Amino acid sequence: MVYHWQSHNVKTAGVDDMVLLSRVTEDEIVTNLRKRYLDDQIFTYIGPVLVSVNPFKTMPYFTDKEIELYQGAASYENQPHVFALADNMYRNMLIDAENQCVIISGESGAGKTVAAKYIMNYIARVSGGGDRVRHLKDVILESNPLLEAFGNAKSVRNNNSSRFGKYVEIQFSTGGQPVGGKISNFLLEKSRVVMRSRQERSFHIFYQLCAGADSRMEEQLGLASPENYAYLSQSGTYTVEGTSDVQEFQETMKAMSVVGLSDQEQKNILKLVSAILHLGNISFVEDRSNFANVHDDRYLDFPAFLLEIDSVALKAKLTGRIFESHRERVNMTLNVEQACYSRDALAKGLFSRMFDFLVQKVNTAMVTTTPGYSTGILDIYGFEIFEKNGFEQFCINFVNEKLQQIFIELTLKAEQEEYVQEGIKWTAIDYFNNQVVCELIEGRRPPGVLAILDDVCATLHAVSEGADNDLKQKLCSGVGNHQHFESWKSGFTIHHYAGKVSYEVEGFCDRNRDIFFNDLIELMQNSKNSFVRGLFPEVLASNTKTRPTTAGSKIKSQANQLVEALMKCTPHYIRCIKPNETKRPHDWEEPRVKHQVEYLGLKENIRVRRAGFAYRRPFEKFLKRYAIISKQTWPTWRGDPRAGIKIVMEAVNMDTAEYQLGKSKVFIKTPESLFLLEEMRERRYDHYARVIQKAFCRYFARRQRQKQREQAAEIVFGKKERRRFSLNRGFVGDYIGLDNQPALRALVGKREKIEFAETVFKYDRRFQATKRDLILTGKTIFLIGREKVKKGPKKGQIIEVVKRRIPIETIRQISTSTKQDDFIVLQVNNEYDTLIRSIFKTELLSTLNRKLRENFNRVLSMNFTDNMEVSIKKEGWSGGGLRQVKVIAGTGEDPSLKVSGKTLIVSIGPGLPNTMRPSLRLEPDNETLQIARRVVTVVHSNKGINNNNHIPLNQAPARPPHVQGRNSGSTVGQLRPTRNAPPAPVNPAPKAPTNLTATRRDNCYVEPPGGLKKNPSFNRSSRAPPPPSHPPPANQPIIRPIGSQVGSQVGSQVGGFRLPNPGALRLPSVVPGQTAGPQRQQHPGLQTRNSGASATVPASASSQAGGGGGGYTEPQQRQPQQQQQQQDFMRTPDPGVSGVKRASLRKSQLLKHQQQQQQQPAPRGPAKPRIEPKPPALAKARALYVYEAQDTDELSMNAGDVIEIISEDPSGWWQGRLRGKQGLLPGNYVQKL
């Protein structure tokens, strides 16, 4: 695999891209995801699709380092990551000038909201801009905690479940800077304000306010603990594990300020939240006439005070209603049930309108009229199944059906149809299309569930007890024969793409009607608070004949509008998977993950991607982008587009098997081929840009060169003799060739502009010369040398290091002689001096003087003297002291150096007079150009790795040749160790355990495909650590094999197993019924799963889920009620008819494949093969101890493994082969057989 030059070649588990799986089955996909998940690698590719597994803890690879690593890098250069997808989306928007979107799908608790946050954070970091743009980025980022506080809640499946849908569009200018944005919200689950299931919470803001309010706020709002409020005490759950409501409240208040909410608006919002809590404490009792009456009028005072309405009017509107007929208005008194309905309707209406107000304020802060492009991020509620599923779950699952339909349309159906239309040879791949489920829900002819629901609600004029039963009967008669619909006693069941979900029909009609009575609107419009009145802008009109909009029709319309908007963009996909229902890290429920893999269609997606093409473009667009690669097609191709495309492909030497030409589009097979085209295009653009730059610089230099020469000459005019050819030479600036030295640029800084670069000679206290690369930026002088690494994995390699960094504002003065020599003393404030010898000293001094004037508004101080003093660095106990550099008159142009005590005597012949100025010619003569080119050529040709050898004073220093590093071209068969093998372990070897092969295969990390590096240079430390004798750690993952019940104890006949830490021993199994803590191993040998040893995890080892990114987190001991069988709705969903259809498709595909094999004619008999001599058998050895590889070119082995020995080295390192992998192993860890 190719790696980005900044990245680290780290070990990986499984395969990064599941298109590369050897066998494409659901079991192989699940196995690969499990390996990566347990190795803390949560991202995996399927071509351009990103699969993300929720780790339920904070991972360490979302820092600024990763943002810089993935910025501008191709997807194959680094590990799969959400940053790679975000960068690809952002760059494609700028390159193709097309709107982009990312669709994040998965069930509730799969990690969709967190993925959306990381995408927004990445785009905000990599896109530039000024103060306005920075403020806009803050609004975009701070909108997340604000809307989460008012729109997210704890459910039984997710501690931060989105209870509304959100589509964020970030608008960019043509230059890639964010200029605006828009948030569209869908179907807030406002019923959660007044009711919820056990072990769930209402929206976070209620608990944040109760926990985070100060004493003054508590007094003004009448706040108490959550258990004192009827709306919050229903479920008995008030906190979320691992979350601080106090801290979250502070972040919410900060977000309010960032998005532009004034202090008064913030107070009004908090008053409204508190008023809703107080409304829930109003209860009703029946009077003698069986009508509702408020149980205690005192509970009316505080909500009336907060809403600034009359408490008497509030009581009247809650217990009565005005019914308008055609001719008169009738005052109707409500019963207890109807009064509770009015109270809850008021609470839900207030919260819903307040949420819409917040979204509107965020959009107002991001509004823009600047044209450009947009990137959309869809973060919407996931597919969910609760103990009691109502109207809200029905709408949520319907929207997820629509999103699944988009994925099918664009990744499976449309792609295959396009191949057929373009004449590309293609074998159809069958898949389950959930369009039939969408038609069941939203269909018109025949009418679907939503249409029947709206018809039933249209016949109601008030709350009717029999409306829900009527709905059930009409559903049975209307869609009862549909294969994805079933009826049951309390409602109906729909066979969704993700499984069967049973909905209780109770409350469907009321929630679909979503009536907010005019009496309550009129009550709120009479409030003295302008903020409350602004939430109810309706104009109340009597006898309106228009049919009210129902919640079902609204969500249907919003879903179709969302699909239409997404189809106009170039889509990117993240498929999120939830590994368990315990919300704990490293807990893997195999049946649940396999079910998600099946209904998400990952196997079909892999098959289409393997057989299909990674990139396709119309002929004209392809030529417009890549015509620059060939001179024949650039700048305009006027011939046949096919011929032009072939010319481009031939220019990059692309194999004809890597692309196909359709009727109107070109198809490219692999991403690597596309990256090749992109790289060649960038090179051509870079080449032409340099041609233009050089032409401009040449033209500009003709006018500026004389001015530069005069400015440079002024520094030494009349004070220092000039060397021959130095007066009229051109200034190059870069005499090192930094364009080809990325490591040097990395040391200086990617964003630092380099003004001057030259290889100089630096002299130490003994006047011994060492080569240094002097690099001058706008604010700093860098002196870069070379060092040999003395320890660690890179031992023996020579790397560039910054020897000294001098900020130019700290330079006190520059000392040089009056002769024509090249010696310069850099004198720094309060530090030691540096003595260097620079060939291009005049250009260096001129550039340094110019940057001091530009950045620090001062000129460079110069000291011209033939007796220069150098203050040397203090080392150890010896003092710093002074050294002298004395320049005397001699003969010749090359200096003669002589050391006399603490003085360096430089003898040099006379140069040109110090009063000479540059000539008035705009171009230097040919002789000067040839000499300048010769100097630069010598510097470039000698550009190698300096090993810091001292250079004798009586000869000119020369740069040593390149020192080959790890990638110098040797092969695996030529491995030579560079250190001795580790000593033999002090402990006796254990007996080889039985059945070790399967144990190793199941429990150990497996090296990814690709084998060893081409040139592993064994730069190791002197000793390898012996096998550890300490007990194994307790924090290890739990694996739940297929067939185990969700929530049951880990371990069975198969047994839960644990993965090893690097360098650690194999751990004991987890066996039910064992109560003792982990047994301390008396011997450092291998303890297999079947050896009989057992241990359970102590309760003290448990920690909160979602902990820090480092290490493993031990699952907590299960409580007694959790040891029982979990409720049905928490189990892996029944796949239903959708699952049956998927299984049928898999069976038909298998039969079709078998028939095709049977119909193929028998092949001709092969020619008789030539008998090759049998290769000599290799010696074999058995591993005595566990050894974990310390480098990528070593073998990891378990005790009992049988290794083929290829060669034996006297150093103790042997070369062997184990399970197809070849590498080095310590010879004293094995015993020959």
Side-chain angles (χ1 to χ4, degrees):
M1 175 178 285
V2 182
Y3 287 88
H4 193 272
W5 69 270
Q6 298 178 15
S7 69
H8 301 285
N9 186 5
V10 295
K11 296 191 295 184
T12 60
V15 295
D16 295 343
D17 193 333
M18 289 193 286
V19 175
L20 303 176
L21 287 174
S22 57
R23 295 174 57 242
V24 183
T25 63
E26 277 88 355
D27 292 335
E28 289 294 325
I29 296 172
V30 172
T31 300
N32 188 71
L33 291 175
R34 184 191 68 199
K35 289 179 180 179
R36 296 181 61 78
Y37 171 74
L38 295 178
D39 202 40
D40 284 341
Q41 299 177 23
I42 63 174
F43 297 116
T44 310
Y45 287 135
I46 302 179
V49 177
L50 183 67
V51 180
S52 173
V53 183
N54 191 347
F56 290 107
K57 66 177 182 178
T58 303
M59 306 305 293
Y61 39 74
F62 295 98
T63 63
D64 293 343
K65 175 184 176 183
E66 281 73 28
I67 291 178
E68 184 175 358
L69 184 66
Y70 283 89
Q71 184 177 357
S75 59
Y76 67 85
E77 296 180 357
N78 297 300
Q79 291 291 312
H81 203 289
V82 68
F83 288 167
L85 180 138
D87 186 76
N88 186 40
M89 180 172 61
Y90 177 70
R91 286 190 290 120
N92 286 350
M93 177 192 69
L94 300 178
I95 292 172
D96 298 331
E98 294 178 352
N99 295 335
Q100 310 284 313
C101 70
V102 56
I103 301 174
I104 309 173
S105 57
E107 64 181 48
S108 180
K112 300 181 297 299
T113 299
V114 176
K117 288 181 185 177
Y118 283 130
I119 292 175
M120 295 171 67
N121 286 333
Y122 181 86
I123 293 177
R125 289 295 304 274
V126 301
S127 55
D131 294 338
R132 158 67 182 167
V133 173
R134 281 194 293 270
H135 172 70
L136 178 63
K137 291 179 182 180
D138 291 340
V139 173
I140 294 173
L141 297 179
E142 291 298 332
S143 66
N144 283 324
L146 176 62
L147 296 184
E148 283 185 13
F150 287 85
N152 287 26
K154 179 190 184 305
S155 69
V156 293
R157 294 186 178 273
N158 187 0
N159 288 342
N160 188 33
S161 177
S162 298
R163 309 316 301 167
F164 73 107
K166 178 176 64 175
Y167 182 55
V168 181
E169 294 177 272
I170 306 176
Q171 296 171 321
F172 295 87
S173 66
T174 54
Q177 296 180 349
V179 294
K182 178 184 178 183
I183 295 179
S184 303
N185 62 303
F186 311 97
L187 187 66
L188 176 70
E189 189 191 17
K190 55 187 178 183
S191 63
R192 184 168 288 268
V193 174
V194 300
M195 59 183 298
R196 71 205 60 86
S197 302
R198 293 182 64 254
Q199 298 180 0
E200 294 191 348
R201 296 205 317 177
S202 186
F203 295 103
H204 294 322
I205 185 61
F206 294 114
Y207 307 90
Q208 292 177 8
L209 180 60
C210 293
D214 54 26
S215 57
R216 181 180 179 184
M217 190 179 298
E218 289 178 353
E219 182 180 356
Q220 292 177 347
L221 303 180
L223 296 175
S225 56
E227 55 267 19
N228 292 310
Y229 299 103
Y231 279 163
L232 303 184
S233 61
Q234 296 176 5
S235 61
T237 301
Y238 307 106
T239 59
V240 176
E241 184 179 5
T243 301
S244 170
D245 287 321
V246 176
Q247 183 178 355
E248 296 288 336
F249 180 70
Q250 295 173 354
E251 294 181 2
T252 301
M253 298 304 296
K254 173 188 172 185
M256 287 187 183
S257 301
V258 172
V259 301
L261 288 169
S262 64
D263 293 341
Q264 187 60 42
E265 287 175 329
Q266 296 179 31
K267 292 179 181 178
N268 287 329
I269 289 173
L270 297 181
K271 288 175 63 175
L272 205 57
V273 172
S274 180
I276 293 172
L277 293 178
H278 288 289
L279 277 175
N281 287 343
I282 301 175
S283 58
F284 304 94
V285 294
E286 286 187 354
D287 59 12
R288 295 180 179 179
S289 302
N290 295 329
F291 293 129
N293 194 11
V294 176
H295 179 262
D296 191 342
D297 289 349
R298 291 178 298 175
Y299 288 98
L300 295 169
D301 295 336
F302 227 99
F305 164 73
L306 295 173
L307 295 173
E308 298 187 32
I309 57 177
D310 183 54
S311 60
V312 177
L314 176 61
K315 178 180 180 180
K317 297 300 181 183
L318 293 180
T319 57
R321 185 179 309 152
I322 297 177
F323 181 77
E324 296 186 1
S325 63
H326 295 286
R327 297 182 179 179
E328 59 181 351
R329 301 179 65 185
V330 179
N331 290 324
M332 183 176 65
T333 307
L334 306 179
N335 57 30
V336 172
E337 181 183 356
Q338 293 171 336
C340 291
Y341 183 89
S342 294
R343 176 201 62 197
D344 294 344
L346 178 59
K348 292 186 294 184
L350 286 170
F351 191 86
S352 175
R353 294 177 184 235
M354 177 178 59
F355 185 81
D356 291 339
F357 169 79
L358 292 174
V359 174
Q360 180 184 357
K361 289 294 293 186
V362 174
N363 287 335
T364 301
M366 297 190 297
V367 68
T368 182
T369 57
T370 304
Y373 314 109
S374 67
T375 294
I377 304 169
L378 180 61
D379 175 23
I380 206 163
Y381 20 59
F383 186 89
E384 59 187 19
I385 305 175
F386 290 152
E387 182 178 8
K388 180 178 180 181
N389 302 289
F391 178 74
E392 288 80 7
Q393 280 67 47
F394 175 76
C395 294
I396 288 172
N397 293 340
F398 163 64
V399 174
N400 278 271
E401 289 281 357
K402 297 290 288 184
L403 295 181
Q404 176 71 2
Q405 182 64 24
I406 293 179
F407 184 81
I408 290 174
E409 284 285 340
L410 297 182
T411 62
L412 300 178
K413 180 180 178 182
E415 185 167 347
Q416 296 191 75
E417 290 177 351
E418 185 178 37
Y419 295 146
V420 176
Q421 293 171 0
E422 289 288 328
I424 303 297
K425 186 178 179 180
W426 180 258
T427 302
I429 295 175
D430 297 327
Y431 56 91
F432 170 67
N433 193 338
N434 72 326
Q435 179 64 34
V436 61
V437 184
C438 295
E439 289 295 330
L440 167 65
I441 297 176
E442 64 175 346
R444 290 187 174 273
R445 294 181 182 178
V449 176
L450 289 176
I452 296 175
L453 177 60
D454 287 346
D455 288 340
V456 173
C457 292
T459 62
L460 301 179
H461 299 287
V463 178
S464 175
E465 297 179 358
D468 296 329
N469 291 328
D470 293 342
L471 171 63
K472 179 182 176 183
Q473 294 176 4
K474 289 190 176 182
L475 287 175
C476 292
S477 60
V479 295
N481 295 327
H482 198 284
Q483 57 182 342
H484 286 264
F485 180 89
E486 291 180 6
S487 176
W488 63 294
K489 62 177 182 179
S490 299
F492 60 93
T493 299
I494 290 182
H495 294 247
H496 289 282
Y497 78 100
K500 293 170 57 177
V501 183
S502 297
Y503 301 99
E504 294 192 8
V505 76
E506 180 184 357
F508 253 69
C509 292
D510 287 339
R511 295 178 184 177
N512 184 54
R513 291 172 68 196
D514 197 24
I515 296 178
F516 197 76
F517 299 109
N518 289 347
D519 304 63
L520 300 178
I521 296 176
E522 183 179 356
L523 175 65
M524 294 298 103
Q525 289 179 343
N526 291 330
S527 171
K528 297 178 182 179
N529 190 320
S530 59
F531 176 77
V532 176
R533 294 197 305 269
L535 298 178
F536 297 86
E538 295 93 335
V539 177
L540 300 179
S542 60
N543 300 327
T544 56
K545 298 182 180 181
T546 58
R547 185 172 178 175
T549 302
T550 61
S553 60
K554 184 178 179 181
I555 191 63
K556 175 183 173 181
S557 175
Q558 288 180 335
N560 290 327
Q561 291 175 4
L562 175 63
V563 170
E564 184 179 355
L566 295 175
M567 297 291 280
K568 293 179 181 178
C569 304
T570 301
H572 305 260
Y573 305 96
I574 300 179
R575 310 290 268 173
C576 296
I577 290 179
K578 186 177 184 181
N580 60 67
E581 283 294 346
T582 62
K583 307 172 192 173
R584 295 190 177 100
H586 285 195
D587 191 359
W588 184 265
E589 297 179 11
E590 194 97 347
R592 177 171 299 279
V593 176
K594 185 175 181 180
H595 177 68
Q596 296 175 73
V597 167
E598 289 176 351
Y599 75 67
L600 289 174
L602 299 188
K603 187 187 77 170
E604 290 77 10
N605 190 12
I606 294 173
R607 293 183 61 201
V608 171
R609 180 55 53 183
R610 288 178 69 158
F613 296 83
Y615 176 85
R616 76 283 323 269
R617 270 294 183 273
F619 291 155
E620 294 75 14
K621 285 190 175 182
F622 182 87
L623 281 174
K624 181 179 179 182
R625 180 160 185 79
Y626 298 111
I628 193 173
I629 292 177
S630 174
K631 293 182 179 179
Q632 296 176 260
T633 56
W634 180 258
T636 304
W637 175 256
R638 303 189 183 278
D640 182 14
R642 292 171 174 268
I645 292 174
K646 290 181 179 179
I647 292 174
V648 172
M649 297 303 190
E650 292 172 357
V652 298
N653 296 323
M654 185 176 293
D655 190 346
T656 54
E658 284 295 311
Y659 71 95
Q660 286 192 39
L661 301 181
K663 296 178 180 179
S664 62
K665 294 182 179 180
V666 56
F667 295 83
I668 297 178
K669 188 74 175 174
T670 60
E672 288 76 11
S673 299
L674 176 62
F675 297 143
L676 173 63
L677 287 169
E678 285 291 330
E679 183 177 354
M680 295 302 297
R681 177 181 179 270
E682 290 180 4
R683 289 186 181 181
R684 296 304 297 178
Y685 267 114
D686 183 70
H687 169 72
Y688 287 131
R690 290 178 182 274
V691 170
I692 296 172
Q693 288 175 349
K694 288 179 181 178
F696 174 77
C697 290
R698 192 180 301 114
Y699 167 77
F700 185 74
R702 290 174 181 174
R703 305 174 59 182
Q704 297 294 327
R705 185 172 292 127
Q706 183 63 29
K707 182 178 179 180
Q708 290 179 355
R709 292 174 188 158
E710 292 178 355
Q711 290 176 349
E714 285 297 326
I715 296 180
V716 296
F717 180 76
K719 300 173 183 177
K720 185 175 179 65
E721 296 177 355
R722 306 301 303 273
R723 295 182 70 90
R724 187 183 301 179
F725 308 121
S726 66
L727 284 175
N728 296 312
R729 74 169 185 86
F731 289 173
V732 177
D734 180 10
Y735 298 95
I736 294 179
L738 291 174
D739 289 341
N740 300 319
Q741 299 289 334
L744 289 180
R745 292 200 64 94
L747 290 175
V748 175
K750 289 177 59 177
R751 305 187 187 278
E752 289 287 340
K753 181 181 178 182
I754 295 176
E755 305 289 344
F756 178 82
E758 178 197 1
T759 299
V760 301
F761 302 109
K762 183 259 182 187
Y763 292 84
D764 60 10
R765 63 177 64 229
R766 298 177 180 86
F767 300 112
Q768 292 180 324
T770 307
K771 283 198 175 184
R772 294 284 186 264
D773 289 332
L774 185 146
I775 299 177
L776 171 63
T777 66
K779 296 182 179 180
T780 310
I781 292 178
F782 294 89
L783 289 173
I784 299 176
R786 274 80 184 167
E787 286 184 354
K788 181 179 290 187
V789 180
K790 296 181 180 179
K791 59 182 179 179
K794 295 184 178 181
K795 180 182 178 182
Q797 294 185 20
I798 296 178
I799 60 173
E800 291 88 354
V801 293
V802 177
K803 292 292 187 178
R804 190 175 187 188
R805 179 185 287 105
I806 305 175
I808 62 175
E809 71 269 20
T810 64
I811 295 178
R812 177 167 49 87
Q813 71 175 6
I814 302 292
S815 294
T816 185
S817 72
T818 61
K819 305 295 190 292
Q820 64 165 336
D821 63 282
D822 300 322
F823 285 89
I824 295 176
V825 180
L826 303 177
Q827 297 176 319
V828 185
N829 289 327
N830 302 322
E831 291 188 33
Y832 61 94
D833 302 336
T834 298
L835 173 63
I836 63 173
R837 180 182 173 192
S838 170
I839 299 175
F840 308 105
K841 58 185 178 302
T842 306
E843 183 177 355
L844 169 61
L845 297 176
S846 173
T847 307
L848 179 59
N849 184 48
R850 175 166 53 86
K851 301 314 296 182
L852 282 172
R853 286 201 314 268
E854 292 176 357
N855 297 333
F856 303 101
N857 196 27
R858 73 180 182 91
V859 296
L860 179 63
S861 176
M862 295 291 301
N863 177 31
F864 296 92
T865 175
D866 291 337
N867 292 310
M868 295 178 285
E869 288 189 350
V870 183
S871 174
I872 63 174
K873 182 180 180 180
K874 181 179 180 180
E875 295 182 355
W877 294 98
S878 60
L882 297 176
R883 297 292 185 270
Q884 301 287 331
V885 179
K886 186 176 182 180
V887 183
I888 62 176
T891 59
E893 294 185 356
D894 294 329
S896 175
L897 309 182
K898 180 180 178 181
V899 178
S900 176
K902 297 184 178 181
T903 303
L904 173 64
I905 301 175
V906 181
S907 175
I908 192 169
L912 299 178
N914 57 19
T915 56
M916 289 193 65
R917 293 185 180 274
S919 67
L920 298 179
R921 291 176 297 176
L922 291 179
E923 293 290 345
D925 55 82
N926 292 332
E927 185 180 4
T928 303
L929 283 175
Q930 291 175 3
I931 292 176
R933 292 194 187 100
R934 193 180 307 124
V935 171
V936 176
T937 302
V938 170
V939 173
H940 283 210
S941 63
N942 290 334
K943 181 63 185 175
I945 299 179
N946 194 327
N947 59 5
N948 284 341
N949 291 333
H950 291 300
I951 302 169
L953 294 175
N954 57 358
Q955 68 180 29
R959 216 182 253 283
H962 275 289
V963 177
Q964 293 187 350
R966 291 181 66 92
N967 299 321
S968 59
S970 63
T971 62
V972 176
Q974 299 168 342
L975 299 179
R976 296 293 299 172
T978 59
R979 67 178 172 94
N980 293 329
V986 296
N987 299 305
K991 295 182 180 180
T994 61
N995 195 20
L996 214 78
T997 305
T999 304
R1000 176 66 179 176
R1001 181 175 64 252
D1002 292 341
N1003 292 3
C1004 282
Y1005 167 83
V1006 180
E1007 194 74 9
L1012 299 175
K1013 284 187 174 181
K1014 293 296 181 185
N1015 178 32
S1017 165
F1018 288 83
N1019 298 320
R1020 302 174 177 83
S1021 57
S1022 59
R1023 292 178 60 88
S1029 58
H1030 53 75
N1035 295 334
Q1036 295 294 332
I1038 298 176
I1039 306 299
R1040 302 188 181 184
I1042 297 179
S1044 62
Q1045 290 292 334
V1046 178
S1048 63
Q1049 286 280 357
V1050 179
S1052 61
Q1053 293 180 357
V1054 179
F1057 61 86
R1058 303 173 180 271
L1059 293 186
N1061 282 335
L1065 302 177
R1066 200 63 56 239
L1067 301 180
S1069 305
V1070 178
V1071 179
Q1074 185 76 22
T1075 58
Q1079 298 179 0
R1080 184 179 183 88
Q1081 298 294 322
Q1082 300 299 324
H1083 194 280
L1086 175 67
Q1087 180 68 45
T1088 64
R1089 289 187 296 169
N1090 301 325
S1091 62
S1094 62
T1096 56
V1097 181
S1100 60
S1102 62
S1103 60
Q1104 293 183 350
Y1112 295 112
T1113 303
E1114 181 68 12
Q1116 296 180 359
Q1117 239 180 350
R1118 300 186 181 276
Q1119 299 298 327
Q1121 64 270 19
Q1122 291 178 331
Q1123 295 177 357
Q1124 302 174 0
Q1125 186 177 12
Q1126 288 192 354
Q1127 302 179 31
D1128 291 342
F1129 77 96
M1130 293 294 287
R1131 291 183 177 180
T1132 302
D1134 187 341
V1137 175
S1138 301
V1140 173
K1141 287 186 176 181
R1142 285 193 291 267
S1144 177
L1145 286 174
R1146 289 194 293 271
K1147 186 180 296 183
S1148 64
Q1149 291 170 3
L1150 180 60
L1151 291 175
K1152 186 185 298 184
H1153 179 67
Q1154 294 175 351
Q1155 292 174 359
Q1156 290 176 352
Q1157 288 183 336
Q1158 293 174 0
Q1159 292 173 1
Q1160 291 178 354
R1164 292 186 302 172
K1168 188 175 181 180
R1170 183 168 59 91
I1171 299 177
E1172 299 289 344
K1174 186 176 181 181
L1178 297 175
K1180 294 184 178 180
R1182 183 184 301 275
L1184 300 178
Y1185 298 92
V1186 176
Y1187 180 74
E1188 293 290 341
Q1190 305 299 312
D1191 206 342
T1192 56
D1193 44 19
E1194 296 180 9
L1195 287 178
S1196 293
M1197 57 185 179
N1198 206 349
D1201 285 346
V1202 177
I1203 303 107
E1204 293 180 327
I1205 304 301
I1206 299 174
S1207 63
E1208 302 178 20
D1209 193 90
S1211 65
W1213 285 102
W1214 293 3
Q1215 187 176 354
R1217 184 184 297 113
L1218 176 63
R1219 286 186 288 275
K1221 182 184 175 183
Q1222 189 170 332
L1224 290 168
L1225 64 143
N1228 48 11
Y1229 273 54
V1230 299
Q1231 180 180 15
K1232 278 190 174 182
L1233 298 178

